[in-house]
Amino acid sequence: MQRGIKLGLYGLVLAGLLAGTAAWVRSDKSVSLTVDGRQQRVHTTAGTVRGVLAAAHVTVGAHDLVAPDPSSPISNGGQIVITHGHLLHLTVDGVSRDVWVTANSVSEALAQLGYGSADLVSVSRSKRLGDGVTDIAIGAPKLVLLKVDGQSVAVTTAGPTVLQAIIDSGIALGPHDRLSVPRGSAVRDNEVITIQRVVYRSTVERVSVPYQVVRQNDPNSYVGSDTVVQRGRNGVNRVTFQLIYVDGRLAGKIRSRSVTVSPMVPERHLVGTKQATSVSPSEAQQIAAGMVSDRGWGSGEFSCLLSLWNKESGWRTDAANPSGAYGIPQALPGDKMASAGPDWQHNAATQISWGLNYIAGVYGTPCSAWAHSQAYNWY
């Protein structure tokens, strides 16, 4: 009796297991899943499209197409088709916008958007669309005339910018080349664009540096004296220039670097500041000697000057003649010497400076003036 009960129980358990297996077999499904043209088989017990996609670890975005609808039931042998959306950054005749398409290639995308084969496209039509953003420029063909290297090159382009039109023409731009319009500006039909070739070169030249004249006041010398105590000498620099050529012609020259080869030596002068008022004839002669030397006249010319003004005034600053002649050089009238300084009436240096200028202008040298004075008793 007990053995029979046990056998009955075993039978019930076995029957239950067999029934459960049969039920699981009946609920398992084989579904065809096609994603962007790639097909696979999915085995699942899910009862809806959404469940099948979850079992296959397929994520659907807001711009993707799913057929049937994700909430639809699915049966064994069913088919699910998914086409992912692709974002295009579309520029049409210079106007940009973002659009989503469910095409897998540029060609399919253009067809979805209604563009035909006559429209020019900036990328290959056979290019497959990826997960990222694809930039596509579309436009009616535009004729652009490029003037470069002495030639005119006509190019038909759909590029949105001038730079793209130049790239389409096959013309290579140098790093410094200039365009008559901005590179990023929109292309206009029948536009004429000038390209200037700009090249930078350098050259090295030896450049003379003129010496400077430095004057220093000398309180021990009389006003009017100017003595050179150090001769000046020009210096030499090695200078690097940057040369700018535009279309083969020199358009600019910029100094970029300078190195001293030999330094400039300034010329130094001592300029008298001592006032020559109420000086003796011998002191006046000392002042004149310095001025004569500064003019480059030798001792012979100074000897003639001594004789000339000994005869005229005895080298006295207040020497006056009834004719109106006055001072060491006996200027007639005396106020002519005001051109040399306002203190002409008593300053020996002012009178001597005027007198030497007069001699140089009329006779050339003191000896010529002395010869004239000997012949005519005046100069």
Side-chain angles (χ1 to χ4, degrees):
M1 182 72 176
Q2 290 181 349
R3 186 172 180 273
I5 293 173
K6 289 181 179 179
L7 289 173
L9 291 174
Y10 288 146
L12 290 173
V13 172
L14 180 60
L17 290 174
L18 290 174
T21 301
W24 178 82
V25 171
R26 285 193 302 271
S27 65
D28 179 41
K29 303 176 183 66
S30 177
V31 178
S32 173
L33 178 61
T34 302
V35 181
D36 292 335
R38 298 181 180 87
Q39 190 178 32
Q40 59 179 311
R41 303 296 299 185
V42 179
H43 293 278
T44 180
T45 59
T48 63
V49 171
R50 184 178 286 106
V52 174
L53 297 181
H57 305 291
V58 175
T59 303
V60 178
H63 298 282
D64 299 335
L65 292 181
V66 182
D69 184 85
S71 62
S72 301
I74 192 71
S75 59
N76 186 43
Q79 292 186 352
I80 302 173
V81 177
I82 298 176
T83 303
H84 283 123
H86 299 284
L87 178 59
L88 304 181
H89 184 70
L90 201 64
T91 302
V92 181
D93 290 332
V95 179
S96 298
R97 61 191 177 101
D98 290 336
V99 295
W100 286 88
V101 296
T102 55
N104 292 321
S105 68
V106 172
S107 178
E108 294 174 7
L110 294 177
Q112 287 184 9
L113 296 172
Y115 294 101
S117 58
D119 295 304
L120 297 182
V121 185
S122 61
V123 297
S124 172
R125 290 174 178 266
S126 62
K127 178 181 178 180
R128 293 196 63 81
L129 301 179
D131 294 334
V133 180
T134 302
D135 292 317
I136 302 177
I138 304 174
K142 297 180 180 64
L143 181 63
V144 177
L145 188 65
L146 302 175
K147 292 189 173 183
V148 59
D149 299 329
Q151 299 177 342
S152 295
V153 179
V155 58
T156 301
T157 180
T161 64
V162 167
L163 179 59
Q164 187 61 52
I166 295 174
I167 293 173
D168 293 343
S169 72
I171 296 173
L173 288 178
H176 306 293
D177 290 348
R178 301 171 184 168
L179 306 182
S180 58
V181 295
R183 299 187 180 202
S185 61
V187 176
R188 294 180 285 110
D189 197 24
N190 295 316
E191 185 172 15
V192 178
I193 301 171
T194 301
I195 301 174
Q196 290 182 315
R197 299 296 196 187
V198 180
V199 177
Y200 290 88
R201 296 193 179 97
S202 62
T203 184
V204 179
E205 300 177 8
R206 292 173 67 90
V207 177
S208 177
V209 181
Y211 66 80
Q212 299 175 348
V213 177
V214 179
R215 289 182 167 83
Q216 181 179 353
N217 291 337
D218 180 11
N220 298 318
S221 299
Y222 289 102
V223 171
S225 66
D226 189 336
T227 305
V228 178
V229 295
Q230 176 180 281
R231 290 294 178 184
R233 185 179 70 241
N234 292 341
V236 177
N237 286 352
R238 186 169 61 248
V239 181
T240 301
F241 292 95
Q242 187 179 65
L243 306 179
I244 305 173
Y245 289 88
V246 178
D247 289 335
R249 296 183 178 180
L250 182 63
K253 184 176 182 181
I254 303 173
R255 185 187 186 113
S256 61
R257 187 167 179 261
S258 180
V259 177
T260 300
V261 176
S262 59
M264 176 270 296
V265 177
E267 184 167 286
R268 300 189 180 279
H269 292 220
L270 289 180
V271 180
T273 58
K274 184 177 181 181
Q275 294 296 326
T277 57
S278 302
V279 298
S280 66
S282 62
E283 289 175 320
Q285 291 168 9
Q286 290 177 7
I287 296 172
M291 293 185 180
V292 167
S293 177
D294 290 342
R295 288 176 177 266
W297 292 335
S299 59
E301 294 295 336
F302 181 65
S303 178
C304 291
L305 184 68
L306 281 175
S307 300
L308 177 64
W309 284 351
N310 272 333
K311 175 185 176 183
E312 293 291 330
S313 64
W315 288 87
R316 290 181 295 107
T317 57
D318 58 353
N321 189 288
S323 65
Y326 184 82
I328 294 173
Q330 287 292 284
L332 182 64
D335 59 6
K336 280 185 177 181
M337 293 185 291
S339 62
D343 54 354
W344 60 272
Q345 290 177 306
H346 54 270
N347 193 313
T350 301
Q351 294 182 1
I352 293 169
S353 177
W354 181 90
L356 294 178
N357 287 336
Y358 171 76
I359 290 172
V362 177
Y363 300 101
T365 65
C367 286
S368 295
W370 174 234
H372 187 278
S373 176
Q374 289 178 307
Y376 299 98
N377 204 35
W378 61 272
Y379 83 107

